[in-house]
């Protein structure tokens, strides 16, 4: 089910017109979002500043709105559980040290924190509003004794993190909202913080056609583009085919250091 209709360019006027015809009730909300985003882009020229403002606007409605276009509480929990179950089935162990890029309000992070040993979870996000919501999640789920790290980040250079520290790096629905230069910045630096044998899992909006963006919020990439970009920074990419069977519109990829014979943590 991942990346359904992957050949479609959602940024074209023709696609938007067809969408409006088939979903007329969604047009007012889309128009409001387009006007808001245009205003925020005028105020924030860099993408991180712009998307931080988007997150603040969404979080003002609800923390869930900022991590999934206002899903229900049940859907929020279901998507978090799906991320967690998949990663545990694909190598995450309690003793691992994990970095979650774009941790949000801990939709999946709360489950990772509970699974990992105390102090082994490190979550970063560009939004101070959503990190405050993450603290509320910790309290609600009684996870204070797990001593997770929650840190505000202004870029993806990861410069404040130590070399070779993390067995698992995870980014869900981050690159789907990131232009190429932000993804490249992450690829250029994530290998430094990976422990020997560690891996980096991320989701992205996949297209088999022309790469494009919608409202500077949603970005669609060809798999080959990300594979080649990662290779330029010494990272080997594997498309996670079994994720495509999951009830999620994005695709998933795993990166490991080309210098690692082990390739991944866990078999």
């Amino acid at each position: 089910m991942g990346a359904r209709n992957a050949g479609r360019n959602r940024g074209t006027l023709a696609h938007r017109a067809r969408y409006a015809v088939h979903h007329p009730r969604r047009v007012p909300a889309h128009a409001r979002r387009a006007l808001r985003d245009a205003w925020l882009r005028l105020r924030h020229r860099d993408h991180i500043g712009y998307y931080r403002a988007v997150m603040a606007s969404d979080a003002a409605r609800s923390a869930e709105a900022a991590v999934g276009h206002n899903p229900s509480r049940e859907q929020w929990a279901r998507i978090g559980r799906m991320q967690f179950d998949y990663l545990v089935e694909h190598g995450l162990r309690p003793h691992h040290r994990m970095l979650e890029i774009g941790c949000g309000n801990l939709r999946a992070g709360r489950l990772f924190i509970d699974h990992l040993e105390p102090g082994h979870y490190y979550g970063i996000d560009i939004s101070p509003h959503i990190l405050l919501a993450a603290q509320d999640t910790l309290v609600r789920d009684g996870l204070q004794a797990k001593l997770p790290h929650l840190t505000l980040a202004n870029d993806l250079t990861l410069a404040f993190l130590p070399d070779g520290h993390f067995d698992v790096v995870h980014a869900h629905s981050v690159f789907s909202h990131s232009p190429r230069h932000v993804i490249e910045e992450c690829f250029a630096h994530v290998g430094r913080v990976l422990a020997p044998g560690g891996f980096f899992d991320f989701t992205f909006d996949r297209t088999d056609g022309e790469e494009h963006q919608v409202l500077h919020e949603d970005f669609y990439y060809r798999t080959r583009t990300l594979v080649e970009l990662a290779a330029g920074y010494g990272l080997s990419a594997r498309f996670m085919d079994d994720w495509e069977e999951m009830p999620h519109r994005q695709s998933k990829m795993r990166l490991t250091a080309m210098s690692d014979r082990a390739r991944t943590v866990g078999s």
Side-chain angles (χ1 to χ4, degrees), residues 169 175 183-195 198-200 202 226-238 253-260 263:
V169 179
F175 293 164
I183 298 175
E184 184 168 7
E185 180 177 75
C186 183
F187 287 1
H189 297 280
V190 72
R192 181 185 65 79
V193 303
L194 278 174
F199 62 80
F200 173 28
F202 64 87
L226 300 182
V227 170
E228 292 177 349
L229 188 62
Y233 292 98
L235 300 168
S236 178
R238 177 161 68 97
M253 194 175 292
R254 172 167 294 187
L255 303 185
T256 54
M258 289 181 180
S259 59
D260 275 345
R263 294 297 183 191

Side-chain angles (χ1 to χ4, degrees), residues 7-236:
R8 180 179 298 171
N9 186 334
R10 295 160 178 81
T12 64
L13 182 60
H15 171 78
R16 285 181 284 178
R18 287 194 301 269
Y19 186 89
V21 169
H22 289 97
H23 306 281
R25 293 183 178 179
R26 299 180 185 177
V27 171
H30 181 82
R32 288 192 298 270
R33 179 183 169 196
L35 288 171
R36 179 202 67 174
D37 288 2
W39 168 243
L40 293 178
R41 286 199 303 275
L42 287 173
R43 297 183 61 193
H44 306 276
R45 295 297 183 178
D46 68 292
H47 183 76
I48 296 297
Y50 157 70
Y51 205 73
R52 179 179 287 132
V54 169
M55 294 281 285
S57 176
D58 287 342
R61 291 187 288 125
S62 75
E64 286 72 27
V67 292
H69 298 300
N70 204 24
S72 66
R73 184 72 186 180
E74 291 73 21
Q75 185 182 6
W76 178 87
R78 179 182 60 79
I79 294 174
R81 171 60 64 175
M82 179 177 63
Q83 296 175 57
F84 173 77
D85 289 345
Y86 186 87
L87 202 53
V88 169
E89 290 170 4
H90 289 74
L92 181 66
R93 302 292 180 261
H95 66 275
H96 288 159
R97 291 184 173 88
M98 178 180 183
L99 169 65
E100 186 165 32
I101 298 171
C103 63
N105 63 341
L106 303 181
R107 177 169 58 178
R110 62 197 177 91
L111 302 173
F112 293 137
I113 291 166
D114 190 46
H115 177 70
L116 297 169
E117 294 176 5
H120 280 211
Y121 176 91
Y122 208 116
I124 64 174
D125 205 286
I126 64 170
S127 170
H129 300 82
I130 208 66
L131 287 174
L132 291 175
Q135 292 181 1
D136 293 338
T137 300
L138 288 176
V139 173
R140 186 184 66 242
D141 286 19
L143 295 169
Q144 298 94 323
K146 287 287 189 169
L147 295 174
H149 306 274
L150 299 174
T151 302
L152 184 68
N154 202 43
D155 56 38
L156 290 181
T157 64
L158 311 176
F160 58 94
L161 296 173
D163 291 0
H165 187 74
F166 295 102
D167 304 295
V168 177
V169 179
H170 184 252
H172 184 91
S173 294
V174 175
F175 293 164
S176 54
H177 303 300
S178 300
R180 178 183 169 123
H181 73 271
V182 172
I183 298 175
E184 184 168 7
E185 180 177 75
C186 183
F187 287 1
H189 297 280
V190 72
R192 181 185 65 79
V193 303
L194 278 174
F199 62 80
F200 173 28
D201 278 13
F202 64 87
T203 62
F204 66 103
D205 279 329
R206 178 169 60 86
T207 180
D208 296 329
E210 182 182 5
E211 296 182 338
H212 60 281
Q213 55 83 18
V214 179
L215 299 178
H216 297 272
E217 277 198 48
D218 302 307
F219 293 80
Y220 294 82
Y221 296 99
R222 290 187 293 270
T223 302
R224 181 177 177 180
T225 295
L226 300 182
V227 170
E228 292 177 349
L229 188 62
Y233 292 98
L235 300 168
S236 178

